[in-house]
């Protein structure tokens, strides 16, 4: 049987590439992290109130975030590191608490039940450890300018969760692993655990929640314009990023902070 002109043979290099790409994308889209609907500690410190509002409302997304490969590599690295820490626990039983769910808020502070799975807690040094797998440019940026506030808040929220569970966290640490390169490129940021930093972030989350209740954008879509945005280079990865959008109930234009600017740009 003759193939159609221009058709890709399933057993050709391109055919195999397409098969693998399609199954990877499909599997990534159905991964637990991709299907997470409730807001978690990793999102609370996001500098953009509008993005947090969309997340709290479980608003329909319009942006798939692009290539899933970096996330897949990150997830695989997290799994490998969890096994490595479990193996170490055979030598020092109970030293590391691994991938345990901690509860930062029962709804008392933010009005929202907030919990998440923390990568590790070192019971010997009372250190919260969170793994980050990043590219070269991000690694250079963090080394030079410090870590993202969103990451910092995430670490302190985990610390609050461990404190709520009866532990005494002293330090929060972010371990940055190079997505490409060698283990020698591992870089660690840490600072003393700050309970107030976590509580302030929860209070801010509660303020955004209260604003949503008052504005009710679900019933009154134009009210989305009253929820401020904080545009940044991360906009293109936002699930609600819709370039040049003039209707915030559908999506946010990102670098443009309101529909009027979007109209001017168009």
């Amino acid at each position: 049987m003759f193939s159609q002109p221009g058709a890709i043979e399933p057993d050709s290099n391109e055919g195999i590439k397409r098969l693998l790409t399609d199954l990877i994308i499909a599997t990534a889209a159905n991964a637990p992290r991709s299907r997470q609907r409730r807001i978690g500690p990793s999102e609370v410190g996001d500098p953009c109130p509008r993005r947090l509002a969309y997340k709290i409302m479980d608003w329909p997304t319009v942006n798939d975030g692009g290539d899933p490969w970096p996330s897949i590599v990150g997830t695989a690295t997290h799994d490998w590191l969890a096994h490595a820490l479990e193996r170490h626990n055979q030598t020092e039983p109970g030293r590391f608490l691994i991938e345990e769910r901690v509860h930062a808020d029962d709804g008392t502070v933010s009005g929202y039940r907030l919990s998440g799975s923390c990568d590790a807690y070192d019971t010997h040094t009372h250190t919260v450890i969170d793994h980050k797998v990043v590219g070269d440019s991000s690694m250079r940026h963090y080394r030079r300018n410090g870590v993202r506030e969103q990451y910092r808040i995430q670490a302190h929220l985990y610390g609050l969760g461990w404190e709520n569970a009866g532990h005494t966290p002293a330090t929060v640490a972010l371990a940055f692993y190079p997505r490409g390169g060698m283990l020698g490129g591992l870089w660690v940021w840490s600072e003393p655990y700050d309970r107030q930093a976590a509580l302030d972030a929860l209070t801010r989350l509660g303020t955004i929640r209260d604003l949503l209740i008052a504005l009710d954008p679900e019933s009154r879509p134009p009210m989305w314009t009253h929820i401020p945005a904080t545009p940044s280079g991360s906009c293109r990865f936002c699930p609600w990023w819709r370039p040049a959008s003039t209707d915030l109930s559908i999506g946010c234009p990102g670098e443009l902070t309101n529909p009027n600017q979007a109209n001017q740009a168009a």
Side-chain angles (χ1 to χ4, degrees):
M1 179 177 179
F2 295 101
S3 60
Q4 295 295 322
I8 297 174
E9 296 293 342
D11 59 349
S12 68
N13 291 350
E14 185 60 28
I16 295 168
K17 174 184 175 181
R18 289 197 180 184
L19 170 67
L20 293 173
T21 299
D22 289 347
L23 70 86
I24 287 170
I25 290 174
T27 302
N30 288 283
R33 285 175 182 260
S34 299
R35 291 184 282 108
Q36 177 181 313
R37 302 179 73 88
R38 291 180 61 84
I39 195 166
S42 65
E43 299 159 307
V44 174
D46 192 300
C48 183
R50 187 177 294 160
R51 180 168 176 170
L52 280 172
Y54 283 132
K55 181 67 179 184
I56 291 172
M57 297 286 290
D58 191 22
W59 210 250
T61 61
V62 293
N63 177 27
D64 64 8
D67 195 319
W69 190 246
S71 176
I72 293 170
V73 172
T75 299
T77 303
H78 276 74
D79 289 344
W80 194 96
L81 290 167
H83 288 305
L85 293 175
E86 288 169 357
R87 186 173 186 276
H88 183 87
N89 275 349
Q90 296 174 13
T91 304
E92 291 187 274
R95 172 159 186 176
F96 292 104
L97 304 178
I98 307 159
E99 295 286 357
E100 291 199 12
R101 181 159 290 275
V102 294
H103 304 275
D105 189 10
D106 61 2
T108 303
V109 181
S110 67
Y112 203 90
R113 293 183 181 276
L114 185 76
S115 64
S117 178
C118 180
D119 292 336
Y121 181 80
D122 186 343
T123 62
H124 285 203
T125 63
H126 305 287
T127 300
V128 176
I129 302 173
D130 189 63
H131 307 305
K132 301 292 184 189
V133 183
V134 300
D136 291 342
S137 60
S138 293
M139 182 74 81
R140 289 193 299 270
H141 178 81
Y142 297 145
R143 282 177 177 268
R144 182 170 59 249
N145 303 305
V147 301
R148 290 164 57 180
E149 182 68 5
Q150 184 173 347
Y151 288 163
R152 176 177 173 269
I153 293 302
Q154 178 185 8
H156 286 292
L157 286 170
Y158 284 144
L160 180 58
W162 287 113
E163 184 181 356
N164 289 340
H167 295 275
T168 55
T171 304
V172 297
L174 301 173
F176 290 88
Y177 302 83
R179 189 177 300 131
M182 308 295 283
L183 184 59
L186 169 63
W187 179 68
V188 175
W189 169 93
S190 68
E191 70 178 17
Y193 165 57
D194 184 348
R195 187 171 190 269
Q196 192 59 50
L199 292 174
D200 288 346
L202 292 174
T203 299
R204 172 177 176 261
L205 181 64
T207 299
I208 296 171
R209 176 180 176 273
D210 292 344
L211 181 62
L212 282 170
I213 293 172
L215 294 175
D216 189 16
E218 186 169 21
S219 299
R220 301 185 294 169
M223 292 296 101
W224 278 110
T225 60
H226 296 286
I227 301 172
T230 304
S232 72
S234 298
C235 285
R236 66 184 184 278
F237 302 112
C238 176
W240 297 276
W241 180 55
R242 186 182 178 92
S245 173
T246 58
D247 185 349
L248 294 179
S249 69
I250 297 177
C252 177
E255 278 94 18
L256 303 174
T257 57
N258 63 58
N260 290 332
Q261 288 177 299
N263 285 328
Q264 291 169 9

